[in-house]
């Protein structure tokens, strides 16, 4: 299967990513920008949504217009940090259902520990957009995708703000069917497996807790 990584080059996405990278950007602005970036990314990845023709009556005449043909969508944030992207996407796609996968990366072993999972009952019939600001070693995203597939999901996209090659390779290896959409591919990981330069701990910066 062809490996799929899409980097968003849209100037608004790149500009906003630059602001959230700055250490001096506080939680309020960080949260707002993460949602705005997620919304812009959702706009781009929904370019291929199917449309159907319907007839409507304008005040002047009958005409044929386009309507979304009702493809079922879902958003699945990887908690905590993925929660920061949900409202932005929902503002464009309000009918999407929202599932949740709770995972944290053990700071010593870097292993992804699952603590929560709830998906739409018809997950297998939906296109699911799994969201997390960071794709670092890829352990969390890989575990989340496994957990989601175990519950029936078949059609999945992974959407993140920044990534590194290591995490992308891990997803390609473990989940070659899942295309990756990212705002940037950073040079690498530091000694604590944080993305370098990245923007630090996304969950901590969104919610102000450690
Ligand atoms: O690719 P990985 O090496 O697995 O790292 C990425 C994960 O780390 C962060 O979550 P974290 O473990 O900090 O949990 P949190 O969202 O609760 O802060 C981030 O939001 C990803 O889920
Ligand atoms: O850089 C990183 C790596 C993992 N998790 C984060 O929140 N940031
Ligand atoms: Mg965190």
């Amino acid at each position: 299967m062809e490996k799929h990584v899409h980097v968003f080059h849209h100037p608004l996405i790149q500009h906003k990513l630059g602001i959230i990278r700055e250490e001096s950007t506080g939680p309020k602005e960080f949260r707002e920008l993460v949602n705005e970036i997620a919304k812009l990314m959702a706009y781009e990845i929904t370019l291929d949504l199917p449309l159907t023709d319907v007839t409507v009556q304008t005040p002047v005449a009958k005409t044929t217009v386009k309507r979304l043909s009702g493809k079922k969508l879902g958003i699945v944030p990887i908690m905590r940090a993925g929660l920061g992207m949900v409202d932005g996407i929902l503002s464009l796609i309000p009918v999407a259902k929202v599932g949740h996968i709770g995972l944290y990366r053990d700071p010593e072993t870097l292993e992804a520990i699952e603590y929560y999972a709830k998906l739409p009952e018809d997950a297998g019939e939906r296109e699911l957009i799994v969201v997390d600001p960071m794709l670092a070693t890829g352990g969390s995203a890989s575990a989340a995708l496994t957990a989601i597939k175990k519950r029936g999901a078949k059609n999945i996209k992974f959407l993140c703000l920044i990534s590194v090659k290591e995490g992308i390779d891990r997803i390609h290896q473990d989940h070659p069917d899942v295309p990756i959409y990212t705002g940037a591919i950073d040079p690498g990981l530091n000694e604590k497996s944080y993305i370098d330069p990245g923007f630090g701990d996304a969950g901590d910066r969104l919610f102000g807790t450690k």
Side-chain angles (χ1 to χ4, degrees):
M1 187 170 298
E2 193 190 332
K3 292 180 177 173
H4 185 149
V5 183
H6 174 87
V7 181
F8 298 99
H9 294 294
H10 195 292
L12 290 173
I13 294 177
Q14 291 302 320
H15 173 81
K16 290 169 196 286
L17 271 178
I19 299 174
I20 61 171
R21 283 185 189 275
E22 286 187 52
E23 195 174 16
S24 58
T25 301
K28 176 176 183 287
E29 203 184 353
F30 190 90
R31 266 196 304 275
E32 287 169 358
L33 286 165
V34 167
N35 267 312
E36 286 172 21
I37 295 166
K39 180 175 178 173
L40 291 164
M41 290 177 163
Y43 178 78
E44 285 207 36
I45 66 169
T46 49
L47 269 175
D48 60 353
L49 279 182
L51 291 170
T52 190
D53 287 343
V54 294
T55 305
V56 298
Q57 174 76 49
T58 78
V60 176
K62 272 198 172 155
T63 189
T64 303
V65 297
K66 302 287 181 193
R67 285 276 153 82
L68 289 169
S69 62
K71 183 173 188 177
K72 290 177 162 184
L73 296 172
I75 308 164
V76 184
I78 303 177
M79 300 193 285
R80 290 176 301 163
L83 292 172
M85 299 170 70
V86 173
D87 286 346
I89 302 176
L90 277 178
S91 68
L92 274 192
I93 320 171
V95 295
K97 291 204 171 168
V98 182
H100 293 85
I101 297 290
L103 286 178
Y104 68 90
R105 187 174 81 160
D106 183 293
E108 303 300 326
T109 66
L110 303 181
E111 193 194 345
I113 314 287
E114 182 179 320
Y115 59 86
Y116 188 78
K118 173 136 336 226
L119 289 193
E121 278 182 3
D122 57 356
E125 294 161 33
R126 290 183 180 268
E127 176 174 305
L128 297 182
I129 308 170
V130 177
V131 300
D132 191 327
M134 323 291 290
L135 177 63
T137 66
S140 305
S142 179
L145 292 168
T146 300
I148 290 164
K149 287 179 178 174
K150 209 166 74 186
R151 291 163 176 87
K154 294 181 195 77
N155 184 0
I156 309 174
K157 291 177 171 168
F158 182 78
L159 180 65
C160 62
L161 303 194
I162 58 173
S163 57
V164 291
K165 184 175 179 300
E166 187 173 340
I168 291 170
D169 288 347
R170 173 83 187 262
I171 300 308
H172 281 155
Q173 185 190 311
D174 296 353
H175 301 283
D177 55 309
V178 177
I180 299 168
Y181 298 83
T182 181
I185 303 175
D186 275 16
L189 298 171
N190 71 9
E191 66 290 348
K192 290 185 176 160
S193 290
Y194 274 86
I195 297 177
D196 186 354
F199 47 74
D201 189 302
D204 295 1
R205 293 195 64 191
L206 279 163
F207 301 116
T209 52
K210 288 214 186 272

